[in-house]
Amino acid sequence: MAYSADYLDASCASEYQEASAAASMSPREEQQHLVAYTPLVKRIVRQLNSQMSAAMSREDMEQIGLMGLLEALRRYGTPDTGFGSFASLRIRGAILDELRRQDWRPRAVRQDAHRVRDALRALTRNLGREPTPQEAADSLGISQEAYYQHLLDDGAEEMLSFDEVLQEATEQAHSAPGPEESFMVRRSLEQALGALSEREQRVIQMIYEFELSYKEIAAVLDLSDARVCQLNKSALAKMKAAIGAR
């Protein structure tokens, strides 16, 4: 899983270049870089929009993402080959922070999600395996569309939680007093990736490195959208536990 390890390595490397960032970039240069990296914002927004349902309009996501891109430019300085990975994390973080601030899932919805989660765990125990989307929907007495919406919302909450852990690891690497500490943070991310199944690794790579939507990943891996959503949620939970336990 070299690509994703490299991606996370780049996003949590200690050479954030904040000193050189302060070295003046003219407003015109800043504007040129914003325009050049706007497609990156749109790709991330398209991906998040497919994962977060209608929690926020695409236009609002793009506006917040552009602000995250501007912050990334001012912290990093003149973009080089490592800027895309750094900016992606900042853009995603800005959008997810706003979703978190808006408390996008009402309490009643969160409580219902806990009930559904408990019912699915019981069904999995009874079957001795993960239920298919149809089996899960039938057991819950809901349509497959409603079940998929539950997976989207549940996966989005896991993504918000994982993003907090990843941001914390990134900041630790950035503020690490020496190369050994920075290496240990990077190493913990690589080990977290290594603990995933091959399919989970591919899903994480496609989401976080290539910014693909669930539908695009499903087409590549010949899976249902719901299965991709399940794999992403499972992978994020494992990585969050691995990084948080370090």
Side-chain angles (χ1 to χ4, degrees):
M1 188 55 182
Y3 286 115
S4 286
D6 288 346
Y7 172 73
L8 289 171
D9 184 9
S11 38
C12 68
S14 58
E15 305 89 20
Y16 275 175
Q17 302 181 355
E18 285 188 62
S20 63
S24 47
M25 188 187 301
S26 72
R28 179 169 181 169
E29 289 174 322
E30 199 172 72
Q31 183 63 30
Q32 288 173 338
H33 292 312
L34 281 173
V35 171
Y37 281 91
T38 292
L40 174 62
V41 174
K42 290 183 179 295
R43 283 202 309 272
I44 292 172
V45 166
R46 179 169 55 84
Q47 175 210 40
L48 289 175
N49 197 57
S50 77
Q51 296 175 18
M52 310 291 288
S53 184
M56 184 187 296
S57 74
R58 182 171 295 206
E59 292 76 14
D60 286 345
M61 279 189 176
E62 287 183 358
Q63 193 63 36
I64 295 164
L66 284 169
M67 289 189 287
L69 173 59
L70 180 60
E71 179 197 355
L73 272 171
R74 289 176 175 173
R75 292 195 65 183
Y76 194 96
T78 303
D80 58 18
T81 55
F83 178 71
S85 296
F86 178 83
S88 293
L89 196 61
R90 290 288 164 184
I91 293 164
R92 286 175 60 85
I95 295 170
L96 295 176
D97 281 347
E98 180 61 20
L99 283 166
R100 199 177 294 113
R101 189 186 69 79
Q102 291 185 10
D103 192 18
W104 68 282
R105 289 188 80 184
R107 179 173 297 178
V109 175
R110 289 199 297 269
Q111 289 173 341
D112 189 58
H114 290 309
R115 179 189 62 78
V116 171
R117 208 173 297 139
D118 290 342
L120 289 175
R121 274 198 289 262
L123 177 61
T124 299
R125 284 196 300 270
N126 291 337
L127 293 174
R129 57 171 172 79
E130 280 194 6
T132 66
Q134 186 63 61
E135 289 171 334
D138 289 345
S139 175
L140 294 167
I142 58 178
S143 67
Q144 279 205 55
E145 291 75 15
Y147 173 64
Y148 180 54
Q149 185 60 54
H150 159 74
L151 289 178
L152 276 177
D153 291 344
D154 216 32
E157 189 146 297
E158 192 69 58
M159 182 169 60
L160 286 168
S161 179
F162 173 71
D163 180 73
E164 289 179 341
V165 175
L166 184 57
Q167 289 282 1
E168 182 180 345
T170 301
E171 293 303 323
Q172 285 178 3
H174 173 55
S175 60
E180 294 86 0
E181 291 80 359
S182 181
F183 171 79
M184 290 303 295
V185 173
R186 185 187 66 206
R187 183 64 176 160
S188 71
L189 288 170
E190 292 173 348
Q191 289 174 340
L193 280 168
L196 304 180
S197 69
E198 182 178 351
R199 186 167 279 182
E200 287 170 338
Q201 288 181 3
R202 292 188 69 189
V203 168
I204 289 294
Q205 178 186 14
M206 290 179 185
I207 290 175
Y208 287 90
E209 184 176 354
F210 299 124
E211 287 102 30
L212 298 186
S213 67
Y214 284 157
K215 287 188 180 298
E216 291 167 329
I217 297 170
V220 171
L221 299 181
D222 193 23
L223 299 170
S224 68
D225 293 3
R227 182 57 182 150
V228 172
C229 190
Q230 286 176 322
L231 287 166
N232 182 41
K233 179 173 179 276
S234 170
L236 292 180
K238 289 179 182 177
M239 292 182 69
K240 185 179 72 172
I243 296 170
R246 63 175 294 277

